[in-house]
Amino acid sequence: MTPFILEICCFNLQSVITAVGAGADRIELCMDAAEGGTTPSYGLIRAAREATRTARAGAPGPARLYPIIRPRGGDFFYDKDDYAQMLTDIAVCRDLGCDGVVIGGLTQDGEIDTEHCAGLMAAAGPLGVTFHRAFDRVKDPIKALDDVIALGCERILTSGCRPTAPEGAEQIRQLIGRAAGRITLMPGSGVRAENVVELQEATGAREFHTSARVAMPSLMQYVNPAMQEHLTLVAVHTEEVRQMRTLLDNLYNSQNT
């Protein structure tokens, strides 16, 4: 059985560098943390591609890079112009040599938008594809699972249709059983070092997603007091990633001895 995979959601280049150095297997690259992640800029994708090409200490190769393809925040019902933008963004990811992309889209009645998502899959071509947490907003998770499998996605990022993965652990376990190896179910949302082992044992999942997020204070020496604000930077917590890496590696070794 293969080792556990740790995916880190990163919102800036420094977080990518931190996550790779701390042992991330894969980076989901996003911008706009306040909106839950939107498509990163060309410049960020290009810089992250260079950063992830560096092999990690003790790892078999460089970290894989999957930018999210999400044109805006809010819901996951998109119009034709949104999908046209997504097709262009996927082409950029292909041109820059990304390993995969993260997509998702729903119909107004809470089903997978299989028609438009099939177009995104075709545009991705040889790239790997993750279906993101739009999945957690569907009205019928079992039907949605079968629809995403039919699209040909590699995995689904899900919190089990609950706010956090620990809350949705039973649903994730059921989805993994239903999938029967046809697709990977990757728990995400609320996944931390303090619960990742318990979550694995409860669900049987082999891949885990976390932002390991921490708010970093501004490094500005001058702050205009009239603005009455405290600016912070979303960053990846190095020790959180390292702890999760160690815990998952130790769990893998204990299960295979």
mmCIF file of all heavy atoms in Angstrom, residues 6-58:
data_model
loop_
_atom_site.group_PDB
_atom_site.id
_atom_site.type_symbol
_atom_site.label_atom_id
_atom_site.label_comp_id
_atom_site.label_asym_id
_atom_site.label_seq_id
_atom_site.Cartn_x
_atom_site.Cartn_y
_atom_site.Cartn_z
ATOM 1 N N LEU A 6 -0.118 14.036 1.553
ATOM 2 C CA LEU A 6 -0.457 15.268 2.255
ATOM 3 C C LEU A 6 -0.478 16.423 1.261
ATOM 4 O O LEU A 6 0.543 16.761 0.674
ATOM 5 C CB LEU A 6 0.558 15.541 3.370
ATOM 6 C CG LEU A 6 0.334 16.820 4.191
ATOM 7 C CD1 LEU A 6 -1.022 16.793 4.889
ATOM 8 C CD2 LEU A 6 1.465 16.990 5.211
ATOM 9 N N GLU A 7 -1.656 17.001 1.076
ATOM 10 C CA GLU A 7 -1.819 18.161 0.186
ATOM 11 C C GLU A 7 -2.011 19.418 1.024
ATOM 12 O O GLU A 7 -2.821 19.429 1.955
ATOM 13 C CB GLU A 7 -3.020 17.960 -0.732
ATOM 14 C CG GLU A 7 -3.308 19.161 -1.626
ATOM 15 C CD GLU A 7 -4.476 18.943 -2.567
ATOM 16 O OE1 GLU A 7 -4.294 18.229 -3.583
ATOM 17 O OE2 GLU A 7 -5.583 19.466 -2.292
ATOM 18 N N ILE A 8 -1.278 20.471 0.674
ATOM 19 C CA ILE A 8 -1.374 21.737 1.394
ATOM 20 C C ILE A 8 -1.949 22.795 0.463
ATOM 21 O O ILE A 8 -1.473 22.983 -0.658
ATOM 22 C CB ILE A 8 -0.001 22.204 1.917
ATOM 23 C CG1 ILE A 8 0.664 21.098 2.752
ATOM 24 C CG2 ILE A 8 -0.165 23.482 2.740
ATOM 25 C CD1 ILE A 8 -0.088 20.694 3.985
ATOM 26 N N CYS A 9 -2.972 23.488 0.947
ATOM 27 C CA CYS A 9 -3.562 24.599 0.204
ATOM 28 C C CYS A 9 -2.755 25.858 0.506
ATOM 29 O O CYS A 9 -2.633 26.264 1.671
ATOM 30 C CB CYS A 9 -5.022 24.780 0.634
ATOM 31 S SG CYS A 9 -5.870 26.115 -0.211
ATOM 32 N N CYS A 10 -2.222 26.484 -0.538
ATOM 33 C CA CYS A 10 -1.357 27.651 -0.378
ATOM 34 C C CYS A 10 -1.928 28.849 -1.128
ATOM 35 O O CYS A 10 -2.390 28.711 -2.266
ATOM 36 C CB CYS A 10 0.048 27.354 -0.897
ATOM 37 S SG CYS A 10 0.908 26.049 0.006
ATOM 38 N N PHE A 11 -1.838 30.028 -0.508
ATOM 39 C CA PHE A 11 -2.410 31.241 -1.082
ATOM 40 C C PHE A 11 -1.359 32.255 -1.522
ATOM 41 O O PHE A 11 -1.707 33.345 -1.974
ATOM 42 C CB PHE A 11 -3.352 31.893 -0.072
ATOM 43 C CG PHE A 11 -4.579 31.065 0.208
ATOM 44 C CD1 PHE A 11 -4.606 30.197 1.283
ATOM 45 C CD2 PHE A 11 -5.690 31.144 -0.605
ATOM 46 C CE1 PHE A 11 -5.730 29.419 1.551
ATOM 47 C CE2 PHE A 11 -6.815 30.373 -0.359
ATOM 48 C CZ PHE A 11 -6.839 29.510 0.718
ATOM 49 N N ASN A 12 -0.083 31.916 -1.405
ATOM 50 C CA ASN A 12 0.990 32.807 -1.843
ATOM 51 C C ASN A 12 2.269 32.002 -2.005
ATOM 52 O O ASN A 12 2.345 30.841 -1.562
ATOM 53 C CB ASN A 12 1.192 33.971 -0.856
ATOM 54 C CG ASN A 12 1.295 33.497 0.582
ATOM 55 O OD1 ASN A 12 2.218 32.771 0.943
ATOM 56 N ND2 ASN A 12 0.333 33.895 1.415
ATOM 57 N N LEU A 13 3.256 32.606 -2.629
ATOM 58 C CA LEU A 13 4.480 31.885 -2.961
ATOM 59 C C LEU A 13 5.247 31.446 -1.720
ATOM 60 O O LEU A 13 5.763 30.323 -1.679
ATOM 61 C CB LEU A 13 5.377 32.742 -3.852
ATOM 62 C CG LEU A 13 6.690 32.099 -4.295
ATOM 63 C CD1 LEU A 13 6.439 30.817 -5.082
ATOM 64 C CD2 LEU A 13 7.516 33.084 -5.110
ATOM 65 N N GLN A 14 5.334 32.301 -0.704
ATOM 66 C CA GLN A 14 6.081 31.917 0.489
ATOM 67 C C GLN A 14 5.473 30.689 1.141
ATOM 68 O O GLN A 14 6.181 29.820 1.660
ATOM 69 C CB GLN A 14 6.130 33.075 1.483
ATOM 70 C CG GLN A 14 7.011 32.800 2.700
ATOM 71 C CD GLN A 14 8.431 32.404 2.321
ATOM 72 O OE1 GLN A 14 9.096 33.109 1.565
ATOM 73 N NE2 GLN A 14 8.909 31.270 2.819
ATOM 74 N N SER A 15 4.142 30.579 1.112
ATOM 75 C CA SER A 15 3.487 29.408 1.677
ATOM 76 C C SER A 15 3.822 28.146 0.889
ATOM 77 O O SER A 15 3.980 27.066 1.456
ATOM 78 C CB SER A 15 1.973 29.621 1.712
ATOM 79 O OG SER A 15 1.626 30.625 2.647
ATOM 80 N N VAL A 16 3.934 28.284 -0.434
ATOM 81 C CA VAL A 16 4.345 27.151 -1.266
ATOM 82 C C VAL A 16 5.729 26.669 -0.851
ATOM 83 O O VAL A 16 5.957 25.470 -0.642
ATOM 84 C CB VAL A 16 4.334 27.526 -2.759
ATOM 85 C CG1 VAL A 16 4.923 26.395 -3.601
ATOM 86 C CG2 VAL A 16 2.919 27.857 -3.224
ATOM 87 N N ILE A 17 6.655 27.604 -0.727
ATOM 88 C CA ILE A 17 8.023 27.262 -0.357
ATOM 89 C C ILE A 17 8.057 26.594 1.027
ATOM 90 O O ILE A 17 8.741 25.590 1.238
ATOM 91 C CB ILE A 17 8.910 28.525 -0.390
ATOM 92 C CG1 ILE A 17 9.018 29.053 -1.817
ATOM 93 C CG2 ILE A 17 10.294 28.239 0.193
ATOM 94 C CD1 ILE A 17 9.637 30.422 -1.924
ATOM 95 N N THR A 18 7.295 27.153 1.958
ATOM 96 C CA THR A 18 7.223 26.587 3.309
ATOM 97 C C THR A 18 6.659 25.175 3.292
ATOM 98 O O THR A 18 7.207 24.254 3.913
ATOM 99 C CB THR A 18 6.348 27.473 4.211
ATOM 100 O OG1 THR A 18 6.947 28.769 4.321
ATOM 101 C CG2 THR A 18 6.188 26.859 5.592
ATOM 102 N N ALA A 19 5.544 24.988 2.580
ATOM 103 C CA ALA A 19 4.882 23.684 2.551
ATOM 104 C C ALA A 19 5.753 22.616 1.922
ATOM 105 O O ALA A 19 5.844 21.489 2.423
ATOM 106 C CB ALA A 19 3.557 23.799 1.796
ATOM 107 N N VAL A 20 6.409 22.958 0.831
ATOM 108 C CA VAL A 20 7.292 21.996 0.159
ATOM 109 C C VAL A 20 8.446 21.612 1.085
ATOM 110 O O VAL A 20 8.784 20.430 1.223
ATOM 111 C CB VAL A 20 7.821 22.571 -1.161
ATOM 112 C CG1 VAL A 20 8.904 21.676 -1.750
ATOM 113 C CG2 VAL A 20 6.681 22.738 -2.165
ATOM 114 N N GLY A 21 9.021 22.605 1.743
ATOM 115 C CA GLY A 21 10.134 22.331 2.646
ATOM 116 C C GLY A 21 9.741 21.494 3.850
ATOM 117 O O GLY A 21 10.575 20.785 4.420
ATOM 118 N N ALA A 22 8.456 21.578 4.250
ATOM 119 C CA ALA A 22 7.992 20.847 5.427
ATOM 120 C C ALA A 22 7.457 19.463 5.093
ATOM 121 O O ALA A 22 7.069 18.728 6.007
ATOM 122 C CB ALA A 22 6.917 21.656 6.146
ATOM 123 N N GLY A 23 7.406 19.109 3.793
ATOM 124 C CA GLY A 23 7.051 17.745 3.444
ATOM 125 C C GLY A 23 5.758 17.540 2.691
ATOM 126 O O GLY A 23 5.259 16.414 2.620
ATOM 127 N N ALA A 24 5.188 18.607 2.110
ATOM 128 C CA ALA A 24 3.958 18.451 1.329
ATOM 129 C C ALA A 24 4.217 17.609 0.084
ATOM 130 O O ALA A 24 5.234 17.770 -0.589
ATOM 131 C CB ALA A 24 3.407 19.811 0.924
ATOM 132 N N ASP A 25 3.274 16.723 -0.232
ATOM 133 C CA ASP A 25 3.356 15.944 -1.464
ATOM 134 C C ASP A 25 2.768 16.701 -2.650
ATOM 135 O O ASP A 25 3.202 16.530 -3.788
ATOM 136 C CB ASP A 25 2.577 14.626 -1.317
ATOM 137 C CG ASP A 25 3.173 13.731 -0.255
ATOM 138 O OD1 ASP A 25 4.313 13.278 -0.449
ATOM 139 O OD2 ASP A 25 2.502 13.497 0.758
ATOM 140 N N ARG A 26 1.762 17.522 -2.351
ATOM 141 C CA ARG A 26 1.061 18.217 -3.425
ATOM 142 C C ARG A 26 0.597 19.575 -2.900
ATOM 143 O O ARG A 26 0.251 19.710 -1.729
ATOM 144 C CB ARG A 26 -0.139 17.393 -3.890
ATOM 145 C CG ARG A 26 -0.869 17.941 -5.114
ATOM 146 C CD ARG A 26 -1.879 16.931 -5.666
ATOM 147 N NE ARG A 26 -2.842 16.521 -4.667
ATOM 148 C CZ ARG A 26 -3.024 15.248 -4.289
ATOM 149 N NH1 ARG A 26 -2.337 14.263 -4.816
ATOM 150 N NH2 ARG A 26 -3.919 14.959 -3.372
ATOM 151 N N ILE A 27 0.599 20.562 -3.792
ATOM 152 C CA ILE A 27 0.139 21.909 -3.470
ATOM 153 C C ILE A 27 -1.134 22.205 -4.251
ATOM 154 O O ILE A 27 -1.152 22.077 -5.478
ATOM 155 C CB ILE A 27 1.203 22.971 -3.829
ATOM 156 C CG1 ILE A 27 2.523 22.713 -3.098
ATOM 157 C CG2 ILE A 27 0.672 24.378 -3.549
ATOM 158 C CD1 ILE A 27 2.452 22.809 -1.602
ATOM 159 N N GLU A 28 -2.193 22.586 -3.529
ATOM 160 C CA GLU A 28 -3.336 23.210 -4.206
ATOM 161 C C GLU A 28 -3.088 24.707 -4.140
ATOM 162 O O GLU A 28 -3.062 25.293 -3.051
ATOM 163 C CB GLU A 28 -4.668 22.874 -3.536
ATOM 164 C CG GLU A 28 -5.835 23.489 -4.314
ATOM 165 C CD GLU A 28 -7.143 23.512 -3.552
ATOM 166 O OE1 GLU A 28 -7.128 23.684 -2.314
ATOM 167 O OE2 GLU A 28 -8.188 23.370 -4.202
ATOM 168 N N LEU A 29 -2.914 25.332 -5.290
ATOM 169 C CA LEU A 29 -2.540 26.740 -5.344
ATOM 170 C C LEU A 29 -3.770 27.602 -5.571
ATOM 171 O O LEU A 29 -4.532 27.368 -6.514
ATOM 172 C CB LEU A 29 -1.524 26.961 -6.465
ATOM 173 C CG LEU A 29 -0.895 28.352 -6.542
ATOM 174 C CD1 LEU A 29 -0.018 28.611 -5.308
ATOM 175 C CD2 LEU A 29 -0.059 28.486 -7.818
ATOM 176 N N CYS A 30 -3.960 28.588 -4.706
ATOM 177 C CA CYS A 30 -5.129 29.459 -4.768
ATOM 178 C C CYS A 30 -4.722 30.911 -4.504
ATOM 179 O O CYS A 30 -3.620 31.190 -4.053
ATOM 180 C CB CYS A 30 -6.155 29.083 -3.694
ATOM 181 S SG CYS A 30 -6.659 27.353 -3.642
ATOM 182 N N MET A 31 -5.663 31.795 -4.757
ATOM 183 C CA MET A 31 -5.604 33.158 -4.263
ATOM 184 C C MET A 31 -6.904 33.430 -3.520
ATOM 185 O O MET A 31 -7.856 32.655 -3.619
ATOM 186 C CB MET A 31 -5.418 34.155 -5.414
ATOM 187 C CG MET A 31 -4.078 34.020 -6.129
ATOM 188 S SD MET A 31 -3.786 35.250 -7.435
ATOM 189 C CE MET A 31 -3.348 36.674 -6.437
ATOM 190 N N ASP A 32 -6.931 34.520 -2.759
ATOM 191 C CA ASP A 32 -8.136 35.016 -2.101
ATOM 192 C C ASP A 32 -8.677 34.041 -1.052
ATOM 193 O O ASP A 32 -9.740 33.431 -1.220
ATOM 194 C CB ASP A 32 -9.217 35.336 -3.136
ATOM 195 C CG ASP A 32 -10.266 36.304 -2.595
ATOM 196 O OD1 ASP A 32 -10.207 36.626 -1.399
ATOM 197 O OD2 ASP A 32 -11.133 36.733 -3.377
ATOM 198 N N ALA A 33 -7.939 33.933 0.038
ATOM 199 C CA ALA A 33 -8.342 33.024 1.115
ATOM 200 C C ALA A 33 -9.707 33.373 1.684
ATOM 201 O O ALA A 33 -10.462 32.492 2.099
ATOM 202 C CB ALA A 33 -7.294 33.053 2.230
ATOM 203 N N ALA A 34 -10.050 34.652 1.705
ATOM 204 C CA ALA A 34 -11.327 35.076 2.275
ATOM 205 C C ALA A 34 -12.519 34.512 1.513
ATOM 206 O O ALA A 34 -13.601 34.329 2.073
ATOM 207 C CB ALA A 34 -11.412 36.605 2.303
ATOM 208 N N GLU A 35 -12.315 34.192 0.228
ATOM 209 C CA GLU A 35 -13.383 33.627 -0.597
ATOM 210 C C GLU A 35 -13.288 32.107 -0.716
ATOM 211 O O GLU A 35 -14.012 31.499 -1.495
ATOM 212 C CB GLU A 35 -13.359 34.252 -1.994
ATOM 213 C CG GLU A 35 -13.807 35.699 -2.041
ATOM 214 C CD GLU A 35 -15.308 35.858 -1.833
ATOM 215 O OE1 GLU A 35 -16.018 34.834 -1.753
ATOM 216 O OE2 GLU A 35 -15.777 37.005 -1.748
ATOM 217 N N GLY A 36 -12.373 31.525 0.041
ATOM 218 C CA GLY A 36 -12.213 30.079 -0.017
ATOM 219 C C GLY A 36 -11.349 29.605 -1.166
ATOM 220 O O GLY A 36 -11.258 28.402 -1.422
ATOM 221 N N GLY A 37 -10.693 30.542 -1.863
ATOM 222 C CA GLY A 37 -9.778 30.182 -2.945
ATOM 223 C C GLY A 37 -10.337 30.451 -4.320
ATOM 224 O O GLY A 37 -11.423 29.989 -4.653
ATOM 225 N N THR A 38 -9.602 31.243 -5.099
ATOM 226 C CA THR A 38 -9.943 31.487 -6.497
ATOM 227 C C THR A 38 -8.688 31.268 -7.349
ATOM 228 O O THR A 38 -7.591 31.081 -6.818
ATOM 229 C CB THR A 38 -10.477 32.917 -6.712
ATOM 230 O OG1 THR A 38 -9.501 33.860 -6.245
ATOM 231 C CG2 THR A 38 -11.784 33.136 -5.970
ATOM 232 N N THR A 39 -8.857 31.297 -8.659
ATOM 233 C CA THR A 39 -7.755 30.991 -9.575
ATOM 234 C C THR A 39 -6.561 31.910 -9.336
ATOM 235 O O THR A 39 -6.702 33.140 -9.345
ATOM 236 C CB THR A 39 -8.215 31.135 -11.034
ATOM 237 O OG1 THR A 39 -9.374 30.326 -11.235
ATOM 238 C CG2 THR A 39 -7.123 30.707 -11.993
ATOM 239 N N PRO A 40 -5.382 31.355 -9.139
ATOM 240 C CA PRO A 40 -4.188 32.184 -8.936
ATOM 241 C C PRO A 40 -3.761 32.884 -10.222
ATOM 242 O O PRO A 40 -4.120 32.469 -11.321
ATOM 243 C CB PRO A 40 -3.126 31.184 -8.465
ATOM 244 C CG PRO A 40 -3.597 29.861 -8.970
ATOM 245 C CD PRO A 40 -5.092 29.917 -8.997
ATOM 246 N N SER A 41 -2.976 33.923 -10.073
ATOM 247 C CA SER A 41 -2.491 34.675 -11.226
ATOM 248 C C SER A 41 -1.454 33.879 -12.008
ATOM 249 O O SER A 41 -0.850 32.928 -11.494
ATOM 250 C CB SER A 41 -1.866 35.996 -10.769
ATOM 251 O OG SER A 41 -0.649 35.741 -10.071
ATOM 252 N N TYR A 42 -1.233 34.289 -13.241
ATOM 253 C CA TYR A 42 -0.198 33.675 -14.082
ATOM 254 C C TYR A 42 1.150 33.722 -13.364
ATOM 255 O O TYR A 42 1.887 32.725 -13.325
ATOM 256 C CB TYR A 42 -0.115 34.417 -15.419
ATOM 257 C CG TYR A 42 0.972 33.913 -16.352
ATOM 258 C CD1 TYR A 42 0.676 32.983 -17.348
ATOM 259 C CD2 TYR A 42 2.285 34.372 -16.239
ATOM 260 C CE1 TYR A 42 1.667 32.515 -18.197
ATOM 261 C CE2 TYR A 42 3.278 33.913 -17.087
ATOM 262 C CZ TYR A 42 2.970 32.985 -18.068
ATOM 263 O OH TYR A 42 3.958 32.528 -18.903
ATOM 264 N N GLY A 43 1.472 34.882 -12.794
ATOM 265 C CA GLY A 43 2.769 35.032 -12.139
ATOM 266 C C GLY A 43 2.942 34.102 -10.965
ATOM 267 O O GLY A 43 4.027 33.534 -10.757
ATOM 268 N N LEU A 44 1.885 33.932 -10.168
ATOM 269 C CA LEU A 44 1.980 33.036 -9.011
ATOM 270 C C LEU A 44 2.103 31.583 -9.452
ATOM 271 O O LEU A 44 2.893 30.821 -8.882
ATOM 272 C CB LEU A 44 0.757 33.209 -8.107
ATOM 273 C CG LEU A 44 0.706 32.310 -6.867
ATOM 274 C CD1 LEU A 44 1.965 32.457 -6.015
ATOM 275 C CD2 LEU A 44 -0.544 32.610 -6.045
ATOM 276 N N ILE A 45 1.335 31.188 -10.469
ATOM 277 C CA ILE A 45 1.440 29.803 -10.949
ATOM 278 C C ILE A 45 2.851 29.526 -11.455
ATOM 279 O O ILE A 45 3.452 28.490 -11.144
ATOM 280 C CB ILE A 45 0.417 29.521 -12.068
ATOM 281 C CG1 ILE A 45 -1.009 29.690 -11.560
ATOM 282 C CG2 ILE A 45 0.601 28.102 -12.619
ATOM 283 C CD1 ILE A 45 -2.066 29.625 -12.643
ATOM 284 N N ARG A 46 3.387 30.450 -12.229
ATOM 285 C CA ARG A 46 4.730 30.258 -12.793
ATOM 286 C C ARG A 46 5.784 30.158 -11.688
ATOM 287 O O ARG A 46 6.645 29.268 -11.716
ATOM 288 C CB ARG A 46 5.064 31.408 -13.740
ATOM 289 C CG ARG A 46 6.417 31.278 -14.398
ATOM 290 C CD ARG A 46 6.628 32.349 -15.435
ATOM 291 N NE ARG A 46 7.951 32.253 -16.029
ATOM 292 C CZ ARG A 46 8.386 33.029 -17.025
ATOM 293 N NH1 ARG A 46 7.578 33.958 -17.530
ATOM 294 N NH2 ARG A 46 9.593 32.883 -17.513
ATOM 295 N N ALA A 47 5.712 31.049 -10.694
ATOM 296 C CA ALA A 47 6.686 31.021 -9.600
ATOM 297 C C ALA A 47 6.527 29.755 -8.758
ATOM 298 O O ALA A 47 7.521 29.148 -8.334
ATOM 299 C CB ALA A 47 6.519 32.262 -8.729
ATOM 300 N N ALA A 48 5.287 29.344 -8.523
ATOM 301 C CA ALA A 48 5.045 28.126 -7.739
ATOM 302 C C ALA A 48 5.534 26.896 -8.477
ATOM 303 O O ALA A 48 6.030 25.944 -7.864
ATOM 304 C CB ALA A 48 3.558 28.005 -7.419
ATOM 305 N N ARG A 49 5.406 26.903 -9.801
ATOM 306 C CA ARG A 49 5.904 25.764 -10.574
ATOM 307 C C ARG A 49 7.410 25.618 -10.389
ATOM 308 O O ARG A 49 7.924 24.505 -10.230
ATOM 309 C CB ARG A 49 5.560 25.952 -12.058
ATOM 310 C CG ARG A 49 6.105 24.885 -13.006
ATOM 311 C CD ARG A 49 5.432 23.529 -12.863
ATOM 312 N NE ARG A 49 5.745 22.790 -11.640
ATOM 313 C CZ ARG A 49 5.284 21.585 -11.356
ATOM 314 N NH1 ARG A 49 4.466 20.967 -12.193
ATOM 315 N NH2 ARG A 49 5.603 20.987 -10.229
ATOM 316 N N GLU A 50 8.120 26.717 -10.381
ATOM 317 C CA GLU A 50 9.561 26.657 -10.156
ATOM 318 C C GLU A 50 9.872 26.180 -8.739
ATOM 319 O O GLU A 50 10.772 25.362 -8.522
ATOM 320 C CB GLU A 50 10.182 28.040 -10.398
ATOM 321 C CG GLU A 50 10.151 28.481 -11.848
ATOM 322 C CD GLU A 50 10.825 27.487 -12.787
ATOM 323 O OE1 GLU A 50 11.941 27.031 -12.458
ATOM 324 O OE2 GLU A 50 10.214 27.148 -13.817
ATOM 325 N N ALA A 51 9.107 26.683 -7.763
ATOM 326 C CA ALA A 51 9.366 26.311 -6.365
ATOM 327 C C ALA A 51 9.094 24.836 -6.104
ATOM 328 O O ALA A 51 9.788 24.195 -5.310
ATOM 329 C CB ALA A 51 8.507 27.172 -5.443
ATOM 330 N N THR A 52 8.086 24.279 -6.753
ATOM 331 C CA THR A 52 7.737 22.880 -6.501
ATOM 332 C C THR A 52 8.594 21.905 -7.285
ATOM 333 O O THR A 52 8.528 20.690 -7.056
ATOM 334 C CB THR A 52 6.252 22.614 -6.827
ATOM 335 O OG1 THR A 52 5.975 23.060 -8.163
ATOM 336 C CG2 THR A 52 5.341 23.349 -5.862
ATOM 337 N N ARG A 53 9.384 22.396 -8.210
ATOM 338 C CA ARG A 53 10.271 21.505 -8.971
ATOM 339 C C ARG A 53 11.479 21.053 -8.156
ATOM 340 O O ARG A 53 12.175 20.128 -8.535
ATOM 341 C CB ARG A 53 10.738 22.197 -10.258
ATOM 342 C CG ARG A 53 9.673 22.200 -11.350
ATOM 343 C CD ARG A 53 10.263 22.576 -12.693
ATOM 344 N NE ARG A 53 9.279 22.391 -13.751
ATOM 345 C CZ ARG A 53 8.835 23.341 -14.564
ATOM 346 N NH1 ARG A 53 9.281 24.575 -14.426
ATOM 347 N NH2 ARG A 53 7.943 23.085 -15.489
ATOM 348 N N THR A 54 11.723 21.719 -7.040
ATOM 349 C CA THR A 54 12.854 21.350 -6.188
ATOM 350 C C THR A 54 12.493 20.106 -5.383
ATOM 351 O O THR A 54 11.483 20.083 -4.682
ATOM 352 C CB THR A 54 13.194 22.494 -5.217
ATOM 353 O OG1 THR A 54 13.475 23.673 -5.970
ATOM 354 C CG2 THR A 54 14.395 22.131 -4.357
ATOM 355 N N ALA A 55 13.302 19.059 -5.503
ATOM 356 C CA ALA A 55 13.042 17.821 -4.770
ATOM 357 C C ALA A 55 13.139 18.074 -3.270
ATOM 358 O O ALA A 55 13.974 18.840 -2.804
ATOM 359 C CB ALA A 55 14.033 16.741 -5.196
ATOM 360 N N ARG A 56 12.266 17.439 -2.494
ATOM 361 C CA ARG A 56 12.245 17.616 -1.051
ATOM 362 C C ARG A 56 13.157 16.601 -0.371
ATOM 363 O O ARG A 56 13.325 15.494 -0.852
ATOM 364 C CB ARG A 56 10.812 17.426 -0.536
ATOM 365 C CG ARG A 56 9.814 18.409 -1.106
ATOM 366 C CD ARG A 56 8.410 17.837 -1.077
ATOM 367 N NE ARG A 56 8.293 16.699 -1.987
ATOM 368 C CZ ARG A 56 7.527 15.640 -1.749
ATOM 369 N NH1 ARG A 56 6.842 15.558 -0.647
ATOM 370 N NH2 ARG A 56 7.464 14.648 -2.626
ATOM 371 N N ALA A 57 13.732 16.993 0.742
ATOM 372 C CA ALA A 57 14.603 16.086 1.493
ATOM 373 C C ALA A 57 13.813 14.854 1.922
ATOM 374 O O ALA A 57 12.742 14.955 2.507
ATOM 375 C CB ALA A 57 15.170 16.806 2.714
ATOM 376 N N GLY A 58 14.331 13.676 1.624
ATOM 377 C CA GLY A 58 13.698 12.440 2.022
ATOM 378 C C GLY A 58 12.513 12.028 1.175
ATOM 379 O O GLY A 58 11.871 11.025 1.450
#
